[in-house]
Amino acid sequence: MATPSSYCVKIDTLNGCNITLFSRCPPKTLISRRSFIKCSNSYNWRRCLQINSPRRIVTRTLVASADANHIDDVEDVEVNKDADLEKKQKSGQLAKRVVFGLGIGITAGGVVLIGGWVFSVALSAVIFAGSREYFELVRSWGIASGMTPPPRYVSRACSVICALMPLFTLYKGQIDVSVASAAFVVAMALLLQRGNPRFSQLSSTIFGLFYCGYLPSFWVKLRCRLLAPALNTGVGAAWPVLLGGQAHWTVGLIATLISISSIIAADTFAFVGGKAFGRTPLTSISPKKTWEGAIVGLTGCILTSVLLSKLFSWPTSVLSAIGFGFLNFFGSLFGDLLESMIKRDAGVKDSGSLIPGHGGILDRVDSYVFTGALAYAFVSNVLPLYGV
């Protein structure tokens, strides 16, 4: 901090009492402290300064002014540093999101193309991580303060059961009996535990089996169980024989690719549309979502579904492709809002920190939880002959 004696005050007798603050004074312009004190006690201190200082330049103890200027300078520097640091952090987070997003997208695309047990095992790993995040959210302070969470051994057992559901779906085709049996065992374990069993423990645990295990397993049904060949697609005709040839391109593979691509388009278009045109909040569950963004996301989802249906020649009806796009959008939106509601009650921003720049697994796959079941039901029950 600059010393008070380093500032000069010029007294201009022609302009009344105007005082101007200069920069650092040369040593020869400084007068003695005794003269300044003598003048400061005088009634006509300006005249006194003129007499005692022929050069009309004096030093004055501007401690308050110096401190104020110094504080302002420090605050400006700190604000600039904070702004630069925040800008660098945002740039770093954006770079992480792009890098890891591309990595996840390429890996997921390869897993979907391979299908079979590779797809099921990869889905099981994602389900296990997601179920662990779900039960941690249930045990968080925000939710646990209003209910009794399940014991840790029950939540860990449920995570393992959820992870096994895609494998049962792949080799058995149906898991309804398995899910019902698992729910019965978990319910008995909760009822026979020590202490006072609570209904909140049972409800949160059974919902975890349904949300984290049963619903995502429909992606295995959609990708691996709909084996009707998509004979009209030109991509299948050019597919190498060593990789399965045209028989590799089934209705399940094309439906999975269109559904996942439509969800990605819906999220991307909704984000861009919300940033550009968003004015009207969609719901209090997620304040950042707007009606304008939802409409743009719906448009992007339908366009993606129609364009890919033309590329793959499936489904053959444009109306079916539009209906498929509608279904994918509303399934993804509902899943996103449901996970936002869980995080809001838990009092957290992200479900976890497993993926740098993206948060947790549930933050990335929340839009896919319900969509697989809806897509499978649409293709197997609504489209005649599976849309071929």
Side-chain angles (χ1 to χ4, degrees), residues 263 325-337 366-372 374:
I263 294 172
F326 264 105
L327 200 68
N328 287 318
F329 173 77
F330 286 109
S332 65
L333 179 62
F334 181 75
D336 194 351
L337 292 177
D366 53 1
S367 300
Y368 301 86
V369 174
F370 290 91
T371 315
L374 296 176

Side-chain angles (χ1 to χ4, degrees), residues 227-243:
L227 300 178
L231 300 176
N232 297 325
T233 178
V235 179
W239 193 251
V241 178
L242 294 177
L243 299 179

Side-chain angles (χ1 to χ4, degrees), residues 90-108:
K90 289 183 177 180
S91 301
Q93 290 178 355
L94 180 60
K96 286 183 179 179
R97 289 179 66 89
V98 172
V99 171
F100 281 90
L102 290 175
I104 293 173
I106 295 173
T107 303

Side-chain angles (χ1 to χ4, degrees), residues 97-257:
R97 289 179 66 89
V98 172
V99 171
F100 281 90
L102 290 175
I104 293 173
I106 295 173
T107 303
V111 169
V112 171
L113 284 175
I114 295 173
W117 68 268
V118 175
F119 178 82
S120 301
V121 170
L123 183 60
S124 295
V126 173
I127 288 176
F128 180 78
S131 61
R132 295 300 301 143
E133 290 181 356
Y134 166 78
F135 284 107
E136 287 300 322
L137 290 176
V138 171
R139 298 184 64 87
S140 64
W141 180 87
I143 296 179
S145 60
M147 56 168 277
T148 303
R152 288 193 178 275
Y153 72 90
V154 174
S155 62
R156 291 169 181 170
C158 287
S159 298
V160 175
I161 293 173
C162 291
L164 294 176
M165 287 184 185
L167 301 178
F168 275 99
T169 305
L170 177 65
Y171 292 106
K172 298 294 182 180
Q174 299 293 333
I175 58 171
D176 298 339
V177 176
S178 301
V179 173
S181 301
F184 175 77
V185 173
V186 170
M188 291 301 297
L190 290 173
L191 291 175
L192 297 178
Q193 67 175 314
R194 294 180 180 179
N196 293 324
R198 304 302 295 270
F199 176 73
S200 58
Q201 295 178 320
L202 180 64
S203 59
S204 60
T205 303
I206 299 301
F207 181 76
L209 290 174
F210 174 76
Y211 179 72
C212 299
Y214 179 72
L215 288 176
S217 296
F218 276 92
W219 284 105
V220 177
K221 284 189 174 185
L222 181 67
R223 170 63 185 92
C224 304
R225 303 297 297 185
L226 294 180
L227 300 178
L231 300 176
N232 297 325
T233 178
V235 179
W239 193 251
V241 178
L242 294 177
L243 299 179
Q246 188 171 3
H248 182 76
W249 287 83
T250 62
V251 170
L253 172 58
I254 295 178
T256 303
L257 291 175

Side-chain angles (χ1 to χ4, degrees), residues 20 32 87 159 240 367:
T20 304
S32 66
K87 186 176 180 180
S159 298
S367 300

Side-chain angles (χ1 to χ4, degrees), residues 2-15:
T3 60
S5 62
S6 62
Y7 293 93
C8 292
V9 178
K10 180 181 180 182
I11 309 301
D12 192 346
T13 58
L14 298 178
N15 295 327

Side-chain angles (χ1 to χ4, degrees), residues 322-380:
I322 294 175
F324 197 45
F326 264 105
L327 200 68
N328 287 318
F329 173 77
F330 286 109
S332 65
L333 179 62
F334 181 75
D336 194 351
L337 292 177
L338 180 61
E339 200 246 352
S340 297
M341 181 182 67
I342 297 174
K343 290 191 298 183
R344 184 194 63 180
D345 288 350
V348 297
K349 180 181 178 181
D350 298 322
S351 63
S353 58
L354 183 62
I355 307 175
H358 290 264
I361 288 290
L362 288 180
D363 295 321
R364 294 300 92 202
V365 302
D366 53 1
S367 300
Y368 301 86
V369 174
F370 290 91
T371 315
L374 296 176
Y376 176 79
F378 181 80
V379 175
S380 60

